[in-house]
């Protein structure tokens, strides 16, 4: 049985808030049941056996009552085929991230009338993408000579777009190239995107490539994308700091060696305060036995 996601938005769902406490608990019990399309067999006897195998106090009539309550609040829609009852979570594709290609259906396909209700519910409740997530790039498909814009509609698709965009940028920088975006890379990208905006991650990757390819810098280690995200990302967020850390002049302990002119020496940066403090320390050192 696949793992399913529960988002924090469930705490403020008006549909769930209208359920009785027992019906709401039943909702959570049902979440692992659906296939990749959000469908499952909702026949009360079947649900009782799968969701409450150790609870003899739950009766099929209880399950029927709770599922009636859920349907009244647009949390499931049900239909029947050959005397068996099936249901679909209408907003399933908005809240669940299906990795790869969806598996085959485990239930009969819902009637078109129910699919229309699902689409209507999604369109009524889904906020405009630009209001919630800002302006997103457009992916275009071409039919003949006419480009057709295809907007990114939900946050899950947006995150997938970011992952692919960062992966493609990495391969374009001439570092270690990867043939495909693996599961380990996806997990590393998801973790990085929780801490840094995609723009900062992209800039850090460009900074890293510049440092590695700069003859004036001694850092030449080439990470894989996963290792860079885990071990090197925070080191290359700021290009100037990275150059100062990895410039060859940093390795030369010679007062006559000049730093690159784009960076200030301590005297230039701190001015008279630095000189005064330096003289004070020299005087204290000379006075000490």
């Amino acid at each position: 049985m696949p793992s399913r996601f529960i988002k924090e938005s469930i705490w403020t769902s008006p549909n769930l808030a209208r359920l009785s406490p027992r019906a709401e608990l039943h909702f959570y019990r049902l979440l692992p049941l659906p296939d990749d399309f959000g469908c499952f067999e909702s026949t009360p006897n079947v649900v009782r056996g799968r969701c409450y195998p150790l609870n003899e106090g739950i009766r099929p009539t209880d399950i029927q009552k709770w599922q009636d309550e859920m349907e009244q609040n647009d949390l499931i829609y049900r239909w029947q085929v050959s005397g068996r009852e099936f249901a679909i979570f209408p907003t399933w594709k908005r809240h669940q991230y299906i990795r790869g290609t969806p598996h085959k259906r485990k239930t009969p396909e819902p009637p078109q009338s129910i699919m229309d209700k699902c689409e209507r519910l999604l369109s009524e409740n889904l906020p405009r993408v630009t209001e919630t997530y800002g302006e997103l790039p457009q992916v275009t498909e071409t039919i003949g000579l006419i480009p057709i814009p295809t907007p990114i509609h939900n946050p899950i698709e947006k995150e997938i777009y970011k992952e692919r965009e960062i992966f493609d940028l990495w391969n374009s920088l001439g570092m270690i190239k990867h043939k495909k975006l693996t599961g380990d890379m996806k997990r590393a990208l998801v973790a990085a995107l929780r801490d840094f905006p995609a723009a900062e991650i992209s800039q850090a990757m460009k900074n890293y490539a510049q440092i590695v390819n700069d003859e004036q810098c001694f850092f030449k280690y080439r990470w894989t994308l996963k290792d860079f995200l885990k071990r090197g990302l925070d080191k290359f967020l700021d290009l100037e700091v990275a150059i100062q850390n990895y410039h060859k002049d940093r390795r030369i302990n010679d007062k006559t060696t000049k730093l690159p002119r784009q960076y200030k020496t301590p005297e230039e940066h701190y001015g008279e305060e630095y000189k005064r403090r330096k003289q004070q320390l020299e005087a204290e050192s000379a006075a000490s036995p």
Side-chain angles (χ1 to χ4, degrees), residues 45-284:
N45 281 323
V46 174
V47 172
R48 188 210 171 283
R50 298 191 67 185
C51 296
Y52 303 92
L54 302 179
N55 195 331
E56 297 180 357
I58 302 297
R59 300 168 298 177
T61 52
D62 296 326
I63 292 173
Q64 186 67 45
K65 180 178 67 174
W66 297 334
Q67 291 180 170
D68 288 343
E69 196 174 335
M70 290 171 61
E71 186 162 25
Q72 291 167 8
N73 287 282
D74 293 319
L75 291 168
I76 61 170
Y77 295 139
R78 293 174 293 179
W79 74 98
Q80 292 191 353
V81 176
S82 303
R84 297 168 63 187
E85 183 180 279
F86 301 92
I88 183 173
F89 285 99
T91 58
W92 184 259
K93 64 182 180 180
R94 182 193 302 171
H95 298 296
Q96 299 300 319
Y97 174 33
I98 308 302
R99 296 182 180 277
T101 304
H103 293 85
K104 292 183 179 180
R105 285 188 175 275
K106 297 181 180 179
T107 71
E109 191 167 351
Q112 187 58 45
S113 59
I114 287 182
M115 296 305 296
D116 291 342
K117 289 171 67 176
C118 293
E119 292 298 326
R120 186 162 55 251
L121 184 65
L122 284 168
S123 63
E124 289 173 356
N125 293 340
L126 187 64
R128 288 176 54 200
V129 175
T130 54
E131 291 177 357
T132 307
Y133 309 109
E135 292 293 338
L136 299 178
Q138 300 244 327
V139 180
T140 58
E141 299 175 357
T142 303
I143 300 179
L145 299 176
I146 304 175
I148 300 178
T150 306
I152 298 174
H153 293 290
N154 63 51
I156 293 175
E157 291 178 4
K158 181 192 174 189
E159 291 305 314
I160 295 173
Y161 177 87
K162 284 182 180 177
E163 293 168 13
R164 173 56 61 178
E165 186 181 46
I166 293 172
F167 176 77
D168 291 341
L169 172 62
W170 175 269
N171 278 341
S172 71
L173 293 174
M175 309 303 289
I176 294 180
K177 289 191 175 183
H178 303 291
K179 293 182 179 179
K180 64 179 181 179
L181 185 58
T182 65
D184 286 344
M185 291 181 202
K186 287 181 181 179
R187 284 186 285 273
L189 280 166
V190 169
L193 286 166
R194 281 198 296 263
D195 298 328
F196 302 99
E200 288 190 13
I201 296 174
S202 299
Q203 187 59 53
M205 289 164 48
K206 294 176 184 177
N207 296 343
Y208 167 59
Q210 181 173 333
I211 294 292
V212 170
N213 294 312
D214 190 342
E215 293 182 357
Q216 298 300 315
C217 294
F218 63 83
F219 188 90
K220 301 299 178 186
Y221 190 84
R222 293 177 180 264
W223 280 308
T224 62
L225 174 57
K226 183 189 76 171
D227 288 339
F228 171 79
L229 293 170
K230 289 186 174 181
R231 301 168 54 189
L233 177 57
D234 58 341
K235 296 179 177 65
F236 294 93
L237 291 170
D238 189 303
L239 179 59
E240 290 191 2
V241 171
I243 293 178
Q244 288 178 338
N245 288 338
Y246 298 115
H247 200 278
K248 288 179 179 179
D249 286 345
R250 188 170 182 265
R251 285 186 163 183
I252 302 175
N253 187 19
D254 185 352
K255 293 183 180 180
T256 62
T257 302
K258 294 183 179 180
L259 293 173
R261 288 310 302 162
Q262 64 264 40
Y263 306 108
K264 293 182 179 180
T265 63
E267 291 89 345
E268 292 172 330
H269 186 78
Y270 294 105
E272 292 300 323
E273 176 62 23
Y274 178 85
K275 294 179 181 179
R276 186 190 66 77
R277 181 58 178 161
K278 183 178 179 182
Q279 291 171 356
Q280 180 182 351
L281 291 174
E282 289 176 348
E284 292 175 357

Side-chain angles (χ1 to χ4, degrees), residues 19-27 52 55 57-58 62 66 69:
L19 296 181
S20 65
R22 293 305 302 268
E24 183 177 355
L25 287 174
H26 182 63
F27 172 85
Y52 303 92
N55 195 331
I58 302 297
D62 296 326
W66 297 334
E69 196 174 335

